[in-house]
Amino acid sequence: MAGIAQSNLNVERTNEQALVAVGLWLALSGVALAQQKPAKDQIVGAWTLVSVTSEMDDGKQAEPFGASPKGVIIFANDGHFSLFQSRAEIPKVAANDRAKATPEEAQSIVASSIAYYGTYAIDENTKVMSVNLAASTYANVAAIPNQKRTITLLTPDELKFDNPRTPNGMTLKTTWKRAAAP
């Protein structure tokens, strides 16, 4: 009788262990499936700028928008996007009319900010994003078709991508965090 009870106890433990193992496998499978969500779906939404680092071919690095840049990039699920980046402080125009900025004020504002919008597509195999700009505050960059951005990190809360070759010959590395809901 004691042998049968012990045998039943062993069977129950084995069944419990099997159930725990199956439950763990299902939980991990769910995480794996969530992580397999396509980049084009993961990227949709608003992201706030954390940092921008420029790197020249000779290895020199800089922060073109300063140590605490401001910015937002918004990706729509229909393939449109918009971007704004600037230094934390952009000079004000003394005349209080942007059309009446002095040459010095205008030059400082242009050097401190950029904005553009257009369309994007992501190659899921290479994680390379192709962007086509419809317009930009820097028309030279808008004239370049099919620009590439290499996604180096994409999590639910963080996005990093590199612009491997800007018109002035540098690589830009940008870091974004998911924008908080209003």
Side-chain angles (χ1 to χ4, degrees):
M1 200 69 157
I4 293 173
Q6 183 63 38
S7 179
N8 286 342
L9 185 59
N10 287 342
V11 168
E12 286 178 23
R13 283 187 187 148
T14 303
N15 287 342
E16 286 176 9
Q17 290 170 343
L19 286 174
V20 168
V22 168
L24 184 59
W25 179 81
L26 288 172
L28 292 174
S29 295
V31 169
L33 288 174
Q35 291 174 345
Q36 292 176 3
K37 187 175 177 182
K40 68 179 180 128
D41 294 338
Q42 292 180 60
I43 205 168
V44 170
W47 301 82
T48 56
L49 186 60
V50 174
S51 67
V52 179
T53 305
S54 64
E55 189 174 289
M56 299 301 290
D57 287 339
D58 63 6
K60 289 183 185 174
Q61 293 187 345
E63 294 176 309
F65 297 108
S68 300
K70 301 288 183 187
V72 65
I73 190 167
I74 301 169
F75 295 97
N77 61 5
D78 68 357
H80 288 86
F81 82 101
S82 61
L83 170 142
F84 171 82
Q85 294 177 334
S86 74
R87 290 185 158 277
E89 299 295 325
I90 295 178
K92 293 186 178 197
V93 176
N96 204 28
D97 181 344
R98 66 187 179 95
K100 295 180 181 174
T102 66
E104 294 79 18
E105 290 169 335
Q107 192 280 328
S108 183
I109 292 167
V110 168
S112 298
S113 62
I114 189 166
Y116 51 80
Y117 70 94
T119 59
Y120 74 99
I122 298 173
D123 181 319
E124 294 294 334
N125 294 322
T126 63
K127 300 300 184 245
V128 171
M129 180 174 18
S130 298
V131 298
N132 285 289
L133 306 185
S136 174
T137 56
Y138 180 35
N140 301 45
V141 76
I144 303 169
N146 203 28
Q147 298 177 43
K148 305 295 184 203
R149 307 291 188 265
T150 304
I151 298 170
T152 58
L153 178 70
L154 178 55
T155 71
D157 299 318
E158 189 174 18
L159 168 63
K160 292 183 179 185
F161 61 79
D162 296 349
N163 180 347
R165 184 60 55 190
T166 63
N168 61 353
M170 70 175 67
T171 297
L172 288 176
K173 297 176 179 284
T174 58
T175 300
W176 305 85
K177 67 178 180 179
R178 177 80 63 185

